[in-house]
Amino acid sequence: MADSIPPLEEIGREVRAIIAGALKRPLEQVPLTARLENGLGIDSLAMIEINIALEERFRFAMPDMTSPAEANLNTVEDLARFVAQQLSQQKGKVAV
């Protein structure tokens, strides 16, 4: 199924890779448990870059947010789950 939603584990890997790229850090320094703002130090500019990369990779519109906390996203895993939920809604399926 080409239209199926990737598993959360795969989405998590992709999200980690995007964040690592935006922060110019090795992937190992971006675990799923890392806090976005306080742990990784993602500021509003980095968040914009990450949002654009997520939109391009997963082909859906991210909500405008100046900080991860604004969207109630605290960790990398929260962001991965958010992406999975958006993909699920886009495909008209039940949220993960």
Side-chain angles (χ1 to χ4, degrees), residues 37 43-44 47 65-73:
E37 284 181 294
D43 60 13
S44 57
M47 196 67 226
M65 55 181 152
T66 54
S67 73
E70 187 177 310
N72 204 22
L73 302 172

Side-chain angles (χ1 to χ4, degrees), residues 21-41:
L23 299 177
K24 296 172 180 40
R25 293 186 187 177
L27 187 62
E28 301 77 42
Q29 290 183 8
V30 185
L32 283 173
T33 56
R35 297 189 67 74
L36 295 170
E37 284 181 294
N38 299 336
L40 296 174

Side-chain angles (χ1 to χ4, degrees), residues 3-77:
D3 277 346
S4 66
I5 298 168
L8 184 59
E9 182 179 316
E10 185 179 321
I11 292 171
R13 258 195 315 272
E14 294 275 353
V15 168
R16 287 177 61 221
I18 287 169
I19 292 170
L23 299 177
K24 296 172 180 40
R25 293 186 187 177
L27 187 62
E28 301 77 42
Q29 290 183 8
V30 185
L32 283 173
T33 56
R35 297 189 67 74
L36 295 170
E37 284 181 294
N38 299 336
L40 296 174
I42 294 175
D43 60 13
S44 57
L45 190 60
M47 196 67 226
I48 291 168
E49 187 177 336
I50 291 165
N51 280 355
I52 291 169
L54 289 171
E55 288 176 347
E56 289 174 354
R57 167 58 185 92
F58 294 106
R59 301 187 190 282
F60 70 86
M62 287 287 287
D64 288 332
M65 55 181 152
T66 54
S67 73
E70 187 177 310
N72 204 22
L73 302 172
N74 299 310
T75 65
V76 175
E77 185 174 11

